[in-house]
Amino acid sequence: RDFVMVDNIPVAIEGEKNLLSLIRKAGIELPTFCYHSELSVYGACRMCMVENKWGGMEAACSTPPKAGMVIYTNTPKLRRYRKMILELLLSNHCRDCTTCEKNGECKLQELAERFGIKRVRFQNTADQPKLDDSSPCIVRDTNKCILCGDCVRMCNEVQNVGAIDFMSRGAKMTVSTAFHIPIAESNCVGCGQCAAVCPTGAIVVKKETDQVWAALNDKKTKVVVQIAPAVRVGLGGKLGQKAGDDLMGKIVAALKRMGADEVYDTATGADLTVMEEANEFIERLESGENLPLFTSCCPAWIQYVEKKHPELLPNVSTCRSPMEMFGSVLKEENKHSRRKTVVVAIMPCTAKKFEAAREEFKENGVPYIDYVLTTQELIQMIKESGIYFSELESEAIDMPFSDKSGAGVIFGVTGGVTEAVIRRLAEDKSSAELRSIAFNGVRGMQGLKETTVQYGERELKIAIVSGLKNAEDLIQRMKSGETHYDFVEVMACPGGCVCGAGQPITDAEGKKKRGAGLYAADKMCSIKRSEENPVVMSLYGDLLKGKVHKLLHVDYQK
Ligand code: HC1
Ligand code: SF4
């Protein structure tokens, strides 16, 4: 077999595209800042340099493995080289680590510690640009940028947005929006994926924990919380639990201890979405108008359509996202409450913060959702409160909205919305049919999935995309007439909400576990279909009477 000698040990070549993967397979954690398997190879940080048998150095991320290669990963020359890079990076980097949002999670901090950097010999001569906190989703601090370009490639290659790019040259080089405009005024869609790949604190998720603590501590305020599908499987790795495990019961218990008055599951809102979206889809199939129907749950996707393809707005479902449907219901339910009601949504997503602040989702200037916390912020609050999360006993969701279906739960993974809608449309309600829907091509973390379903006489063509570049490619193929669909599910984050930028950062394996966790949670639900959820039925018969349009729909075209 072909192999490479890595530090005098033969390592077989098994299809690795670069030396870096081969070396990591051999159990050596080669340091990198700018390498991400889902992004193109940039080779800028030079931390992954290795030495060959002649004493020459090459970047492991951009060198393909060849049989017979002899390389060394930890020589005195390499250690000196890596320390020098770190020292230079630290020299013009803000070093207020203890108060940095990324404290404890920063790659630069981690590598400085790992390589024993104790002093920095160089002076910082760079300008100190101001913090850009104009966006409701992310905060940019260029003082902490190490120019690895991860955010630029994510925004361009994976999301096709191009809101940020390198500007200027040499020592003046920075990552910026066009003409240095605030990020909120750029074409950024708030997906937060740049923050998810940023190795330092240069781009972080915007935090609202102080406002939520204030509401929780105010006796005159009733705090009603809803928890998104993906959150329950996103905390695991961080709070001493297994990655991907469903921790909903413990989250409810933690929130109750922190002072939440009522805790609900956004999956109940997702059940309402399934009902409304399925109706809308049937209406459009009958009229033949505005097909394909694009899903509307993902606020970054909505912004993408608004900014790049406004001509497609009539095709976007008029359904509010589950978060907003449920938020409207919760505010309506509490309309006559003596205490002021604050609705907090805990989401895996940064763009939900933008969605909650949209004018469309306010009544008399008051938003249906007062605060959106990401999973990361929830973890922060649990840590702050001192709760031993592992030891918490699970608690149930509150009445009167305690029921949800498995269909609502799987919304949080790519393909989940489609599977939920197909469950609703299927005439056959047997468990064999449920299984066959699951094996019909809707599951899996691929960026594009296609399937067909029979609806009466018609064979419906369905596409499921995640990652906005994949959505763009699909739009172009539809526009050129190369393909057509009747229904298209779009989630901006590759893999769907489980991979949202508000979740703790994880690798591909961790993301898969989260997806699997939601399908396992679906299995544990006795109610499988949205239309079987008694909460949904009672809402239609009562609170939603005459208010379906007002509380569950939205017109983004206005
Ligand atoms: Fe999602 Fe959704 S699934 S958008 O990914 O439709 O954020 O989890 O809450 O609203 O239900 C996110 C997740 C979430 C909505 C639902
Ligand atoms: Fe680009 Fe998304 Fe970051 Fe905005 S939030 S800059 S769209 S990657």
Side-chain angles (χ1 to χ4, degrees):
R1 273 207 306 188
D2 292 341
F3 59 84
V4 174
M5 291 300 285
V6 179
D7 299 334
N8 301 319
I9 293 166
V11 182
I13 304 173
E14 293 167 316
E16 289 82 13
K17 288 202 191 89
N18 50 43
L19 277 177
L20 180 65
S21 315
L22 183 120
I23 292 165
R24 286 188 172 165
K25 183 180 74 178
I28 295 163
E29 183 45 31
L30 213 52
T32 53
F33 285 116
C34 71
Y35 181 79
H36 281 275
S37 53
E38 72 271 37
L39 302 176
S40 66
V41 174
Y42 185 46
C45 77
R46 315 314 273 173
M47 287 298 287
C48 71
M49 297 301 270
V50 291
E51 209 173 317
N52 60 31
K53 62 181 168 190
W54 300 285
M57 298 213 289
E58 38 205 337
C61 67
S62 52
T63 308
K66 279 198 223 88
M69 269 180 163
V70 175
I71 54 158
Y72 300 93
T73 67
N74 181 29
T75 63
K77 186 168 157 185
L78 288 171
R79 282 199 300 276
R80 266 200 313 278
Y81 186 77
R82 288 176 190 145
K83 282 186 178 198
M84 178 59 83
I85 294 174
L86 287 167
E87 222 184 307
L88 285 167
L89 286 174
L90 286 165
S91 74
N92 62 0
H93 186 95
C94 159
R95 298 203 290 279
D96 299 339
C97 294
T98 50
T99 52
C100 178
E101 283 289 354
K102 258 314 199 12
N103 189 9
E105 311 253 4
C106 169
K107 203 64 184 283
L108 183 58
Q109 194 184 42
E110 177 200 320
L111 292 182
E113 193 265 337
R114 181 174 148 191
F115 287 92
I117 311 291
K118 296 294 171 222
R119 68 194 176 99
V120 177
R121 287 165 291 172
F122 316 108
Q123 286 289 323
N124 185 1
T125 53
D127 298 340
Q128 304 289 303
K130 278 212 315 253
L131 204 75
D132 181 355
D133 65 353
S134 60
S135 158
C137 312
I138 52 169
V139 179
R140 296 178 59 239
D141 184 354
T142 321
N143 296 309
K144 294 174 181 168
C145 176
I146 58 168
L147 298 174
C148 65
D150 293 354
C151 56
V152 172
R153 281 172 293 139
M154 175 54 82
C155 192
N156 282 272
E157 294 171 7
V158 178
Q159 299 300 56
N160 195 53
V161 174
I164 43 177
D165 209 339
F166 286 109
M167 298 269 272
S168 310
R169 285 171 182 272
K172 293 214 172 302
M173 188 188 260
T174 86
V175 169
S176 172
T177 53
F179 310 110
H180 299 294
I181 56 170
I183 189 89
E185 290 167 28
S186 74
N187 53 350
C188 168
V189 299
C191 70
Q193 286 296 321
C194 50
V197 291
C198 177
T200 69
I203 309 184
V204 293
V205 173
K206 196 161 216 177
K207 304 280 157 67
E208 288 172 279
T209 51
D210 288 347
Q211 294 92 315
V212 175
W213 274 127
L216 287 168
N217 295 334
D218 179 7
K219 297 252 175 324
K220 290 195 216 87
T221 302
K222 175 176 179 181
V223 180
V224 179
V225 183
Q226 57 164 306
I227 303 162
V231 172
R232 72 204 66 200
V233 291
L235 277 82
K238 283 283 157 199
L239 292 171
Q241 305 287 297
K242 261 180 38 212
D245 275 6
D246 177 0
L247 300 171
M248 191 62 161
K250 280 184 186 286
I251 300 172
V252 176
L255 285 165
K256 286 289 174 79
R257 284 217 189 174
M258 288 192 264
D261 294 281
E262 292 168 13
V263 183
Y264 299 112
D265 190 337
T266 309
T268 307
D271 284 329
L272 288 170
T273 306
V274 171
M275 302 301 285
E276 292 303 307
E277 202 153 277
N279 284 349
E280 190 181 18
F281 186 35
I282 293 168
E283 276 169 26
R284 292 197 194 187
L285 285 172
E286 280 166 4
S287 71
E289 281 168 20
N290 298 328
L291 289 170
L293 174 74
F294 286 103
T295 59
S296 55
C297 318
C298 171
W301 157 241
I302 296 295
Q303 277 214 77
Y304 187 82
V305 178
E306 290 178 316
K307 291 180 172 177
K308 290 227 177 188
H309 291 288
E311 75 286 359
L312 290 178
L313 279 174
N315 292 68
V316 173
S317 165
T318 64
C319 291
R320 292 182 183 181
S321 73
M323 177 185 88
E324 287 297 341
M325 284 197 181
F326 206 13
S328 321
V329 165
L330 291 171
K331 277 277 162 85
E332 186 72 17
E333 168 84 3
N334 286 286
K335 220 170 186 172
H336 305 295
S337 165
R338 275 187 292 125
R339 285 192 291 167
K340 176 186 167 200
T341 302
V342 160
V343 175
V344 179
I346 302 181
M347 294 280 136
C349 170
T350 53
K352 288 279 172 197
K353 290 178 184 269
F354 170 83
E355 182 180 53
R358 287 185 73 121
E359 288 305 315
E360 292 91 336
F361 300 128
K362 288 179 184 165
E363 195 175 337
N364 303 325
V366 181
Y368 296 118
I369 305 286
D370 297 275
Y371 302 109
V372 171
L373 294 181
T374 58
T375 315
Q376 290 179 17
E377 289 165 272
L378 174 65
I379 293 170
Q380 161 83 51
M381 289 178 77
I382 293 172
K383 282 186 181 165
E384 232 177 300
S385 64
I387 294 168
Y388 281 123
F389 192 75
S390 305
E391 286 166 28
L392 276 181
E393 278 186 29
S394 293
E395 288 184 30
I397 295 292
D398 282 301
M399 293 289 274
F401 306 119
S402 55
D403 293 319
K404 54 158 195 280
S405 78
V409 172
I410 57 174
F411 258 54
V413 58
T414 170
V417 179
T418 304
E419 187 171 341
V421 171
I422 300 177
R423 283 185 193 180
R424 166 80 184 116
L425 294 179
E427 277 170 26
D428 179 354
K429 302 289 177 190
S430 68
S431 51
E433 175 65 14
L434 262 187
R435 273 195 297 279
S436 92
I437 296 170
F439 290 110
N440 194 13
V442 289
R443 296 196 179 183
M445 300 300 262
Q446 310 89 288
L448 167 66
K449 294 172 279 187
E450 289 171 299
T451 186
T452 53
V453 287
Q454 202 63 35
Y455 180 68
E457 301 284 286
R458 265 177 97 152
E459 184 175 74
L460 304 178
K461 255 196 109 187
I462 295 175
I464 298 156
V465 279
S466 64
L468 292 170
K469 174 71 168 69
N470 292 325
E472 181 63 34
D473 291 347
L474 186 100
I475 290 168
Q476 292 311 329
R477 284 199 292 122
M478 284 192 296
K479 288 201 166 190
S480 70
E482 189 187 321
T483 183
H484 101 273
Y485 298 101
D486 298 298
F487 183 95
V488 182
E489 174 192 314
V490 187
M491 289 293 183
C493 295
C497 293
V498 286
C499 310
Q503 301 267 68
I505 293 163
T506 185
D507 56 12
E509 205 41 47
K511 290 175 181 176
K512 255 201 231 154
K513 282 187 185 154
R514 290 177 183 168
L518 285 189
Y519 290 122
D522 168 36
K523 278 210 170 135
M524 290 301 291
C525 290
S526 44
I527 306 166
K528 299 289 188 225
R529 298 170 193 82
S530 303
E531 71 271 24
E532 294 162 358
N533 181 348
V535 169
V536 168
M537 287 307 113
S538 76
L539 279 172
Y540 279 114
D542 185 13
L543 182 144
L544 287 171
K545 252 197 178 146
K547 293 185 181 152
V548 166
H549 188 78
K550 178 178 169 235
L551 297 177
L552 305 185
H553 289 262
V554 58
D555 185 359
Y556 287 121
Q557 293 185 74
K558 265 194 199 154

